[in-house]
Amino acid sequence: MKDLFTPYELKDLKLKNRVVMPPMCQYSVTNKDGIATDWHYNHYVSRAIGGAGLIIIEMTDVEPDGRITDYDLGIWSDEQIPALARIIEACHSYGAKVGIQIAHAGRKAEDAAVPVAPSAIAFNAESKTPKELTTEEVKAMVEKYRMGVRRAIQAGFDVIELHGAHGYLIHQFHSPLTNHRTDEYGQDLTLFGKEVILAAKSEMPAGMPLIMRISAKEYVEGGYGINESLEFSKVYKDAGADIFHISAGGEGPIAAAGKPGTHAGYQVPLAREIKHSLNVPVIAVGRLDEPVLANAVIGNDEADLVAIGRGMLRNPYWTLEAGVQLDKEAGLPKQYEQGFPRIKR
């Protein structure tokens, strides 16, 4: 019987448990140069000490104008590699594997003088109207993703995640709400995502899995739902995506009729549907902070991995606490043994 502390293996990625720290922007690059700081080092390494099996570094952008804000991480320059490598090395020393979410904010780039997007459609009334990328600029953007992945490999990451969710650039291309193009990237809404996947895989070792994060449902009037996300996810799977990280929303102001749930595990049905319909591994996320619930998602075969976001922001040692609650061995550091009840066998 699988549970939260059953090891997980896919290709060359071997995780000691099924607990994932999902990417969560810290907006903490004080020099605005995209280089990770001591805050990022302490933030991520503490979760490795705290027992997480996989830590995914926050949204890291392929060009300066691809950041949500100027305080975000970047991977457009070789100068950004060493600080990331330092984080990875430390996390590895505590038994965690490390991924990175590579992305571009597209029309949601708040600090860009002129954001770019598939089509010139603003995110909301207060947002800047983006410039529509030319066909040639779209192809150049694919190359920027490829180079970002190359730098991530040089830094030593164990797995790559492409951000195709939450209304950012890949999502903007595969959503009919935000892609009104007439060229090849409008005729096939998945073309950009497919090309980014192929570019990423061309740089990745054969045994390294590629994660695609998607919004499986849009919470706006006329937005797509699970049937449409199953269709584009199959395309991405065929292109080379190995794992899907299942979230939802983020593509626009939430319509009253499409307000997302606020109850625990509200996105798990989306993860379960994609997992079983496409026969792919999935990461479930969304209000799964209670260890018993997170454990049930694994035990009930609704997902392969469980991402704990806000819970890990509150408590770097969430995984260790979950081990106590579930009476499982969570890799408690000997230095902390006095602070945790002993597990009874």
Side-chain angles (χ1 to χ4, degrees), residues 15-300:
L15 306 178
K16 63 181 180 180
N17 59 46
R18 295 171 184 247
V19 180
V20 179
M21 179 184 184
M24 294 175 284
C25 288
Q26 297 297 291
Y27 306 110
S28 296
V29 181
T30 51
N31 291 334
K32 301 184 180 183
D33 55 8
I35 297 175
T37 66
D38 283 348
W39 172 266
H40 297 94
Y41 180 89
N42 293 320
H43 174 63
Y44 291 112
V45 176
S46 63
R47 275 69 184 179
I49 294 171
L54 175 62
I55 294 167
I56 306 178
I57 301 291
E58 66 203 75
M59 180 172 171
T60 305
D61 301 291
V62 299
E63 67 173 0
D65 283 347
R67 294 173 289 180
I68 303 171
T69 78
D70 288 346
Y71 298 98
D72 293 347
L73 291 178
I75 199 155
W76 65 80
S77 167
D78 289 353
E79 294 178 354
Q80 294 155 345
I81 296 173
L84 294 170
R86 176 174 173 250
I87 293 171
I88 296 165
E89 182 179 8
C91 289
H92 282 170
S93 73
Y94 296 110
K97 297 300 174 66
V98 190
I100 185 172
Q101 184 184 76
I102 294 179
H104 190 293
R107 68 177 186 165
K108 295 179 79 173
E110 297 173 8
D111 289 341
V114 181
V116 298
S119 300
I121 304 169
F123 176 64
N124 59 32
E126 292 75 39
S127 301
K128 300 168 186 172
T129 299
K131 172 189 176 295
E132 180 173 314
L133 291 160
T134 67
T135 303
E136 292 71 25
E137 287 170 337
V138 176
K139 295 182 184 301
M141 188 67 73
V142 174
E143 177 68 9
K144 291 175 182 177
Y145 274 88
R146 187 178 72 81
M147 293 303 296
V149 172
R150 174 180 291 186
R151 294 185 183 98
I153 301 303
Q154 292 172 354
F157 284 99
D158 302 293
V159 63
I160 303 296
E161 176 170 290
L162 298 175
H163 201 346
H166 300 165
Y168 298 118
L169 193 60
I170 294 175
H171 183 170
Q172 290 166 30
F173 269 93
H174 68 227
S175 173
L177 291 173
T178 47
N179 185 346
H180 296 176
R181 301 175 68 90
T182 57
D183 67 353
E184 59 192 295
Y185 293 99
Q187 293 163 10
D188 177 0
L189 301 189
T190 63
L191 180 59
F192 179 69
K194 284 187 293 185
E195 290 185 346
V196 171
I197 289 170
L198 292 171
K201 298 288 275 194
S202 75
E203 298 290 338
M204 295 167 61
M208 180 182 289
L210 177 66
I211 304 170
M212 174 62 87
R213 193 171 207 192
I214 66 163
S215 286
K217 180 178 181 179
E218 292 184 316
Y219 292 110
V220 294
E221 195 68 36
Y224 66 70
I226 186 64
N227 291 333
E228 292 80 7
S229 60
L230 281 168
E231 291 178 7
F232 67 68
S233 294
K234 184 179 187 306
V235 173
Y236 293 158
K237 175 190 174 183
D238 292 344
D242 299 292
I243 311 175
F244 286 84
H245 192 169
I246 310 302
S247 190
E251 68 298 315
I254 295 173
K259 187 176 180 179
T262 56
H263 53 279
Y266 72 99
Q267 294 181 145
V268 171
L270 300 170
R272 180 178 61 236
E273 182 66 25
I274 288 174
K275 172 179 170 60
H276 292 291
S277 294
L278 300 184
N279 191 28
V280 292
V282 301
I283 305 171
V285 67
R287 298 186 180 273
L288 299 174
D289 297 352
E290 289 300 324
V292 171
L293 174 59
N295 194 52
V297 170
I298 299 297
N300 291 331

Side-chain angles (χ1 to χ4, degrees), residues 304-332:
D304 301 270
L305 303 168
V306 173
I308 309 298
R310 292 176 179 85
M312 280 202 192
L313 288 181
R314 292 192 301 271
N315 180 7
Y317 310 110
W318 185 95
T319 309
L320 303 180
E321 295 278 9
V324 171
Q325 288 191 38
L326 299 171
D327 195 25
K328 299 290 182 179
E329 177 55 57
L332 179 64

